[in-house]
Every structure is written in C-alpha cells, then in structure tokens.
Amino acid sequence: MKIIDAHSHLWLRQDTSWNGMKISPLPNGRSMFLGEEVQMLPPFMIDGRNTAEVFISNMNYAQVSAAVVVQEFIDGQQNEYLDVVRRQYHDRFFVCGMADYLHPGFFAEAADLIDSGFPGIAIPAHRIITDKKRVMLNSEEMMRMFKLMEERGVILSVTLADGDTQVAEMREVIQECPRLKIAVGHFGMPTREGWHEQLSLARYENVMMESGGITWLYNAEFYPFPSAIRAIKEAIDQVGIGKLMWGSDYPRTITAITYRMSYDFVSKSTELTDEEKACFLGENAREFYGFQHLVDLPYVKNMSE
C-alpha cells in the first residue's frame, strides 16, 4: 500500500499577518501567532524553517510516498519557494500556488502561477472572512479564476469556514465549473456544527474530502482518536470511501504526535476494512492528483526495537 498525504504545508519563513495580527517566528519552533506564543513546529526545528528536506525525512521514516502541499495565509505566500520544491522534488510533491485573494487583482496572480506550472491552487477560504471584509467564493473575480482552472486542468484545494458558512457559495462554484476538480480540506470540520453540509459537497462528481487536521480537531481525545475513526466511518456511509483522502496538516499536528501517528491510527483501526484503508490512505489521492511514480519505502527498524 502506497501512502499519500493530501494536506501538508512547507515554508522557508513564516513572517506575515492576517486580520491585522502578526505571525512571526520565535526560537525553538515557536511562533507569535495572532497575539499569542504557540509551539508552531516541533521543538527540534529550531530555526523556524519548515523545509521540504526535513519533510521528506519524515515521509521516508513514516513510509509516506508523496504529499500534496497546500498554502495558508498564516504562513505567508510561499510561491517562490514552492516553485523550487515542485521542480526539485516532482516525484514526491504535488504543490499548490496561492494568490492574495484579500485584494483585487488576484486573478492575474493566479494566472501567472498556472502559467508557471503549478498544478493546483490553494484557497484558505476560512481566512478570506476577516473583521473588515468578506471575499465571496462566487464573486466575479473568483469565478473567472475557477473557470481558468477548469479549462487548464488545475486542481482547487480549499478549506472552508466552519459549518455551512460558505457551502452555498461553493455549490455555485461546483455547478458553474462541473469539471473543476476540488479537494475540500479539514474533512469539512467534523467537530463543528454543520459538518454534514460541507461533507455533502463530496457527492458532486469532481469533489473530494481530505482529512488534513483531523488529529488536531480531536486532539483533546488524543491517540488513537476513536471519534475521528467514527467520523471517517460516518463519512463513508454518507458519500462513499471513494470520495475520501487522508491528510496530516503537517507540520503543525506533529507538535503533539509523530508524523506516523497522524495516519497509523487509521491503518491500525479494526473498524475499517483493508480496502477502505487502502483507498483512504493513498489510492484515492493517487488517482485524484495523478501521481504516477510513487517511491517504495521499506520499513526500517527503530534502534529501540
């Protein structure tokens, strides 16, 4: 079974702002994040850099063959760095570009990213709602971008605000662009009211749901996350296993658990079939994102074993 991570992040320097508040790196993997100090990275990542090379080391250890790299406003735009990653590690990463959707003119920026070879575009849509403005997903400029993506075969990775806040907008996008391939992130936020509204989007032909951040959502329960397994089973019942993909939300989630733990609570579960595990952990993502040459990663025994 080849494993693919459908939701991860990379950055060289996390130095930006959102909603009028700063996000900037601190020593020992910490960040100043929206007014508070948090452990953004594992403490051994002491320089604040979240690089492809460190991620690949984690992927190799955890036997994860490939990963989809999305973007988030709280990390700052990383297009320049991710273009290098895309070219250098094309067999390991599917990389999404990101435009500045909070300011008019982002269509041209997204078009340039597509022309430069980015196979996906990420929209952290929950961040385009701020205290001062709200950018609608079905706005004229957004729809122009989505139609271009549909025409060029570029995949949309999108994370939505809690519940049904943006679901009606997203339905309009799906109906206007029926050939646009869309991956909805954070598993639709299953711990929030209105989860089923987001989950229902996966009933559309070209829409998938990926579980990036699910271990964060159930962090209070902790490993092996039995409620997360129940959410996966419920999603299977609602939309079918063929619509679901595993995502880790690396690196933020591995401050609490190891990277392997972010998926092996699924692989070790007795409540899912082997076929369901294979589809969820890799096969669905392989087909959806078009991965062709996945590396073989044999298990290497731990020194402590």
Side-chain angles (χ1 to χ4, degrees):
M1 180 173 63
K2 299 288 202 320
I3 299 174
I4 298 172
D5 185 344
H7 188 120
S8 66
H9 300 274
L10 295 173
W11 63 78
L12 278 185
R13 181 173 173 83
Q14 190 184 46
D15 191 2
T16 187
S17 63
W18 177 77
N19 203 19
M21 294 177 283
K22 286 283 293 178
I23 301 102
S24 55
L26 297 171
N28 303 319
R30 297 178 182 179
S31 291
M32 183 54 63
F33 177 69
L34 307 181
E36 67 173 332
E37 183 175 334
V38 301
Q39 191 74 45
M40 182 68 67
L41 297 168
F44 56 79
M45 296 167 73
I46 60 175
D47 59 1
R49 290 162 55 94
N50 170 34
T51 65
E53 289 76 19
V54 172
F55 190 19
I56 288 173
S57 181
N58 272 286
M59 291 166 65
N60 290 348
Y61 172 76
Q63 298 174 279
V64 175
S65 293
V68 179
V69 181
V70 302
Q71 293 197 57
E72 236 276 28
F73 285 160
I74 62 171
D75 303 328
Q77 283 183 297
Q78 301 292 327
N79 295 322
E80 184 176 351
Y81 174 55
L82 292 183
D83 193 39
V84 174
V85 170
R86 177 181 68 83
R87 296 170 189 274
Q88 188 169 356
Y89 301 111
H90 58 88
D91 59 333
R92 302 301 299 271
F93 295 120
F94 180 103
V95 175
C96 297
M98 183 179 73
D100 182 4
Y101 312 111
L102 288 170
H103 297 93
F106 60 81
F107 171 82
E109 188 180 353
D112 286 344
L113 291 169
I114 293 169
D115 286 342
S116 70
F118 278 91
I121 295 292
I123 303 181
H126 59 308
R127 303 286 186 196
I128 61 175
I129 303 173
T130 71
D131 292 342
K132 294 184 178 181
K133 69 186 303 181
R134 174 172 177 172
V135 179
M136 304 295 286
L137 287 166
N138 56 354
S139 69
E140 182 180 353
E141 190 167 13
M142 280 285 188
M143 294 303 292
R144 284 181 64 206
M145 183 180 73
F146 294 139
K147 288 181 182 297
L148 176 64
M149 292 171 63
E150 181 184 38
E151 178 185 326
R152 298 286 292 275
V154 174
I155 293 176
L156 170 64
S157 173
V158 61
T159 51
L160 302 177
D162 291 357
D164 63 356
T165 304
Q166 295 171 305
V167 168
E169 299 162 46
M170 201 70 246
R171 287 191 194 281
E172 184 174 335
V173 172
I174 294 165
Q175 291 163 359
E176 287 291 317
C177 304
R179 293 180 292 106
L180 175 64
K181 296 175 73 173
I182 302 170
V184 178
H186 296 166
F187 218 53
M189 302 296 285
T191 59
R192 308 293 195 264
E193 186 177 353
W195 171 47
H196 292 92
E197 292 300 312
Q198 287 198 39
L199 182 62
S200 69
L201 294 172
R203 294 194 177 103
Y204 289 95
E205 182 178 359
N206 286 331
V207 181
M208 302 285 283
M209 187 74 56
E210 47 92 343
S211 73
I214 198 168
T215 60
W216 154 65
L217 291 169
Y218 293 99
N219 182 66
E221 182 180 81
F222 204 64
Y223 188 91
F225 309 107
S227 294
I229 293 294
R230 285 193 288 272
I232 293 168
K233 286 177 61 65
E234 184 172 354
I236 293 171
D237 290 341
Q238 293 292 317
V239 300
I241 187 58
K243 291 299 211 156
L244 308 175
M245 303 182 291
W246 168 68
S248 70
D249 211 4
Y250 175 98
R252 282 179 268 271
T253 48
I254 65 165
T255 57
I257 58 175
T258 68
Y259 185 48
R260 183 184 290 274
M261 289 167 70
S262 68
Y263 77 81
D264 76 354
F265 76 97
V266 173
S267 62
K268 292 178 179 177
S269 172
T270 59
E271 299 185 49
L272 299 168
T273 67
D274 289 344
E275 181 181 0
E276 288 169 340
K277 293 173 184 178
C279 289
F280 184 70
L281 292 175
E283 185 57 28
N284 292 342
R286 183 199 61 76
E287 182 176 349
F288 184 75
Y289 291 103
F291 286 104
Q292 295 184 356
H293 304 292
L294 295 174
V295 297
D296 288 312
L297 296 167
Y299 179 74
V300 176
K301 185 178 71 172
N302 286 326
M303 184 67 181
S304 58
E305 291 182 61

